[in-house]
Amino acid sequence: MVEFKITIDNMLSELSNKVKEKHFMSAHQWVDTAQKLNVLIGEEHDKLFDLEMDVAQRKVEFLQQGETVASANLRIDATELNKLTKKQKAKIKQVEEMIRIAKTQARLKDNEYRNQ
């Protein structure tokens, strides 16, 4: 039997599919989603820290080669590494927003249930 590993990417994909298919999610499912995302976001922060460190090391290399700070920054901005770093930051922001939305949805669903 193949064990399914829960990752941020899997969860974001699953949520995207549920939204596209207009699938109902209970308050419990929203809270469960928020909890999992909150636990897993640490791994994404670790990836971002590693990427930022790599970018800083590349910048130091450019500066040690005699380039100006402005030139080094411009060269860094043009790298694939910088692109990956920005994508990682955007992914973390998306996950953080999804956690906020999940908590709000859970509250709304709970209130809706109580008022029926």
Side-chain angles (χ1 to χ4, degrees):
M1 181 169 131
V2 178
E3 192 171 313
F4 181 74
K5 183 177 180 184
I6 297 174
T7 66
I8 291 278
D9 292 330
N10 295 7
M11 293 192 67
L12 291 177
S13 177
E14 185 179 328
L15 283 169
S16 176
N17 290 336
K18 286 182 179 183
V19 168
K20 288 175 187 172
E21 296 170 6
K22 298 179 182 178
H23 178 65
F24 172 82
M25 286 179 57
S26 69
H28 171 74
Q29 288 171 312
W30 281 111
V31 170
D32 184 56
T33 297
Q35 287 174 329
K36 288 175 182 171
L37 288 172
N38 195 47
V39 168
L40 296 173
I41 200 169
E43 295 173 10
E44 300 304 320
H45 280 287
D46 290 345
K47 289 177 191 176
L48 176 60
F49 299 148
D50 290 341
L51 286 168
E52 287 175 333
M53 188 176 76
D54 291 344
V55 166
Q57 288 172 342
R58 291 284 306 270
K59 193 179 293 187
V60 167
E61 289 171 13
F62 291 141
L63 293 172
Q64 287 175 340
Q65 292 171 3
E67 294 192 33
T68 64
V69 172
S71 176
N73 286 336
L74 189 58
R75 287 194 57 187
I76 287 294
D77 287 346
T79 64
E80 185 70 22
L81 185 59
N82 188 55
K83 178 181 167 184
L84 292 173
T85 302
K86 288 183 178 186
K87 282 185 169 188
Q88 187 66 21
K89 285 180 185 179
K91 182 178 184 180
I92 289 170
K93 284 183 181 182
Q94 180 185 19
V95 170
E96 289 170 343
E97 186 61 25
M98 186 54 64
I99 291 168
R100 280 191 282 281
I101 290 169
K103 290 190 302 188
T104 301
Q105 283 288 354
R107 259 186 247 112
L108 290 172
K109 298 286 183 192
D110 188 50
N111 289 343
E112 190 179 296
Y113 175 75
R114 289 178 189 210
N115 291 331
Q116 287 182 353

